Amino acid sequence: MSGATLGAGAEARDGLPAAYEMVIGLEVHVELSTRTKMFCSCPADFGGEPNTHVCPVCLALPGALPVPNRRAVEFAIRAARALHCEIAAETKFDRKNYHYPDLPKGYQISQYDQPLARNGWLEIETEEGRRRIRIRRLHMEEDAGKSLHGEGDGEATLLDFNRAGVPLVEIVSEPDLRSPEEARAYLEMLRATVFYTGVSDVKMEEGSLRCDANVSIRPRGSSELGVLVEVKNMNSFRAVQRALAYEAERQARALARGERLERETRHWDEARGVTLPGRSKEEVNDYRYFPEPDLVPLRIDPAWVAEIEASLPELPEARLGRYQEAGLAYKEAWTLVAQRELGDFLDATVAAGAPLRQAANWLLGEVSARLNESGRPLAELRLTPAGLAGLVALVEAGTVTPTLAKQVFARMLETGEEPAVIVEREGLVQIRDEAALEAVAERVIEANPKVVADILSGKEKAVAALVGQVMRETRGKANAAKVNEVLRRRLAELRQAEPRG
Ligand code: ADP
Ligand code: MG
Ligand code: ZN
């Protein structure tokens, strides 16, 4: 062993050597939020008392027969079209055979050679600009149950079949991603896109979105694919990113030691920050796929697909483009797209008459700050799109200063009143009247002889102190530019009147 950094488990910090390039393809499972399961009428809800959402079909009792859930097929088509996939005219189900305690049938009903959808793509933002990541296929399958290890007396593994048979789609990308950051961007875009279609709540923490990552490295510039390692068990997007970075570096270190890489499945250990070999290194998975004899192939009516497609909302990709065209930077635009309720609110505020840029500023600024502080959803704030549009209009018209507008905003959230009502009642209208401002300026000048002397002896910066005083006297209602103007005019007069020393 030549050094600690090469030891198994040491997380390299220096990144992948520049001579190598990463190649990544992701397999993402999404649980569909249908009311019932894929092949029976048990509820498909998350959670519930263990083994209460079960029946002979999803428990695999002898003689039980599956019946496909039309709604699940519709949802899968919806997701597939949002991801620009082509929908097959005919699709069938296959048995994927393997043994695991949480899989009571001994096989999973999945799709093998005739998936529901193929040839899609998503666009992501990368360091070199936008890039299209191809999606190889999207197919339907059923979820397995859940094994709960170490529950009960601490040693037993308990089984909960509530999840068994919940509809899933698996979305498989081509190996088009080149860095952990790109993988992250793809996942974010995928999650947002599926979320907008409404077919899943895509919550990684509840397992309704799960990701396995395939990663290999190759000499930079090579067009051949390296030996693929599949990494499982990541519980967050951040974990996917960390696991990929670790795994690529591990592969590079192994090559540097003269080892040969082999195709294997590894598990991400979040606590240690390493990937560990899975048990199935030798036993190559042979799923012995064959057509599911209890289900007939499905013929998909193109008119049905067209109908589903027509009901899709504006998707993240389009919304992002629209916001960027309206002048938002990518990051700003993406923040508003990824948090759909913010984007929806923005669009409604614009519909109520506000310019997009100004409305976006409020949502990215004050509104987001409030949401972060309170940890509550936007819907619970006492703010309406019309109210925000009204506030933007008051600022645009110069009725209130930007400083006062924040005060009005705070009041709006407290009382739920219209901004104009608050401005009127609390006398928050901006003071632009020069005579009024001159009177205040005069008082401030008289009350601050030392500051004035400083200014007259050349310390121009001290003017700011006087501006601040005027603002305080007017409780923030003075127009800042006008205050500056009035003060400077008066100071110039004083300077002229002053006897030269
Ligand atoms: P299958 O699981 O059907 O055999 P593959 O294993 O070829 O298909 O592909 C599964 C996933 O692995 C896909 O997302 C694909 O993009 C990705 N992938 C395939 N080869 C590589 C590779 N050499 N490096 C990284 N990812 C790969
Ligand atoms: Mg695979
Ligand atoms: Zn059931």
Side-chain angles (χ1 to χ4, degrees):
M1 176 100 4
S2 60
T5 52
L6 294 184
E11 190 167 4
R13 288 263 152 248
D14 37 1
L16 186 66
Y20 290 110
E21 167 178 74
M22 280 176 89
V23 174
I24 301 164
L26 299 180
E27 293 168 279
V28 174
H29 284 90
V30 172
E31 268 183 1
L32 302 176
S33 16
T34 49
R35 199 172 47 76
T36 59
K37 292 186 181 180
M38 186 71 220
F39 300 112
C40 61
S41 53
C42 292
D45 311 338
F46 176 76
E49 277 294 297
N51 300 309
T52 53
H53 304 166
V54 293
C55 74
V57 174
C58 53
L59 286 176
L61 300 188
L65 288 173
V67 179
N69 179 340
R70 183 184 163 92
R71 192 86 171 147
V73 179
E74 179 194 322
F75 277 14
I77 292 172
R78 211 169 150 75
R81 286 305 298 149
L83 300 171
H84 313 284
C85 291
E86 297 157 12
I87 308 295
E90 190 173 296
T91 183
K92 71 172 170 62
F93 292 101
D94 299 277
R95 288 190 182 179
K96 179 180 182 180
N97 300 280
Y98 65 94
H99 287 279
Y100 204 73
D102 59 24
L103 189 74
K105 290 197 292 286
Y107 59 85
Q108 178 189 28
I109 303 180
S110 180
Q111 299 197 285
Y112 185 51
D113 55 347
Q114 279 180 249
L116 173 73
R118 295 182 205 258
N119 299 331
W121 47 266
L122 273 181
E123 258 177 14
I124 60 164
E125 190 82 10
T126 72
E127 283 182 358
E128 296 88 37
R130 283 213 182 172
R131 209 171 77 239
R132 204 169 265 205
I133 307 302
R134 293 168 302 158
I135 291 171
R136 182 182 293 177
R137 58 186 276 155
L138 177 150
H139 66 255
M140 298 179 283
E141 56 188 32
E142 55 175 343
D143 213 341
K146 231 183 233 169
S147 301
L148 307 162
H149 302 289
E151 307 259 326
D153 64 9
E155 278 174 30
T157 290
L158 302 178
L159 291 167
D160 176 7
F161 292 107
N162 284 353
R163 200 179 68 179
V166 167
L168 288 178
V169 289
E170 178 173 340
I171 302 156
V172 183
S173 86
E174 291 293 344
D176 286 351
L177 298 158
R178 294 291 173 269
S179 69
E181 294 69 36
E182 289 188 10
R184 171 78 179 252
Y186 170 83
L187 285 173
E188 302 262 1
M189 190 46 125
L190 177 61
R191 175 170 61 184
T193 303
V194 174
F195 184 72
Y196 273 57
T197 67
V199 304
S200 173
D201 53 13
V202 281
K203 288 185 185 160
M204 226 175 170
E205 64 280 13
E206 288 186 4
S208 56
L209 186 149
R210 311 196 280 272
C211 173
D212 299 333
N214 302 277
V215 51
S216 61
I217 59 173
R218 65 183 175 193
R220 199 166 283 282
S222 158
S223 57
E224 275 164 49
L225 290 174
V227 177
L228 146 73
V229 171
E230 181 169 11
V231 188
K232 293 180 175 288
N233 197 38
M234 288 84 72
N235 290 320
S236 64
F237 285 179
R238 169 142 175 73
V240 173
Q241 226 178 315
R242 287 179 68 206
L244 285 169
Y246 173 84
E247 180 54 27
E249 287 163 28
R250 185 195 66 80
Q251 292 176 16
R253 288 197 301 273
L255 292 180
R257 286 197 297 270
E259 289 172 20
R260 277 189 50 193
L261 297 172
E262 50 185 316
R263 185 168 176 147
E264 61 173 319
T265 298
R266 298 176 68 92
H267 293 264
W268 172 243
D269 182 327
E270 175 75 23
R272 293 171 60 195
V274 299
T275 63
L276 301 170
R279 62 196 142 69
S280 58
K281 201 160 165 179
E282 288 101 65
E283 49 175 91
V284 179
N285 268 331
D286 177 6
Y287 294 122
R288 294 170 295 121
Y289 281 100
F290 63 85
E292 167 59 64
D294 291 336
L295 292 167
V296 294
L298 299 178
R299 211 159 291 138
I300 309 285
D301 182 356
W304 189 36
V305 175
E307 198 183 300
I308 293 168
E309 192 175 339
S311 73
L312 284 171
E314 181 188 42
L315 295 169
E317 196 177 69
R319 186 176 257 190
L320 182 68
R322 187 159 58 78
Y323 291 171
Q324 285 181 290
E325 264 166 42
L328 303 193
Y330 167 74
K331 276 223 162 107
E332 299 175 316
W334 180 249
T335 302
L336 294 164
V337 171
Q339 294 170 269
R340 186 184 187 177
E341 71 279 14
L342 287 185
D344 289 348
F345 203 97
L346 174 61
D347 289 351
T349 307
V350 170
L356 191 139
R357 171 80 262 177
Q358 274 78 350
N361 285 348
W362 280 99
L363 287 163
L364 293 165
E366 295 299 291
V367 175
S368 290
R370 286 295 169 135
L371 297 178
N372 291 340
E373 256 167 50
S374 67
R376 307 245 294 275
L378 180 53
E380 286 178 27
L381 276 195
R382 291 184 87 172
L383 184 70
T384 61
L388 184 56
L391 183 56
V392 168
L394 290 176
V395 178
E396 291 278 284
T399 310
V400 293
T401 61
T403 317
L404 279 184
K406 289 189 184 173
Q407 246 170 276
V408 176
F409 174 78
R411 293 300 259 164
M412 288 167 71
L413 296 192
E414 285 165 24
T415 66
E417 288 169 307
E418 292 286 308
V421 172
I422 295 168
V423 168
E424 180 67 33
R425 187 187 55 235
E426 309 197 358
L428 296 175
V429 176
Q430 171 163 234
I431 306 171
R432 316 179 62 129
D433 175 51
E434 294 212 358
L437 290 179
E438 270 165 9
V440 181
E442 198 54 45
R443 275 209 305 282
V444 166
I445 283 172
E446 269 165 30
N448 294 280
K450 262 200 65 175
V451 181
V452 172
D454 282 351
I455 296 168
L456 294 182
S457 68
K459 282 171 76 181
E460 276 295 318
K461 277 191 188 148
V463 175
L466 296 183
V467 174
Q469 276 294 333
V470 173
M471 290 311 241
R472 230 158 299 151
E473 293 251 333
T474 58
R475 294 195 297 123
K477 289 188 287 186
N479 177 288
K482 279 257 177 336
V483 171
N484 251 296
E485 202 183 300
V486 165
L487 274 172
R488 284 180 194 281
R489 196 160 61 221
R490 185 68 191 112
L491 287 165
E493 284 166 16
L494 288 176
R495 191 171 285 131
Q496 286 212 327
E498 202 181 47
R500 302 268 147 187

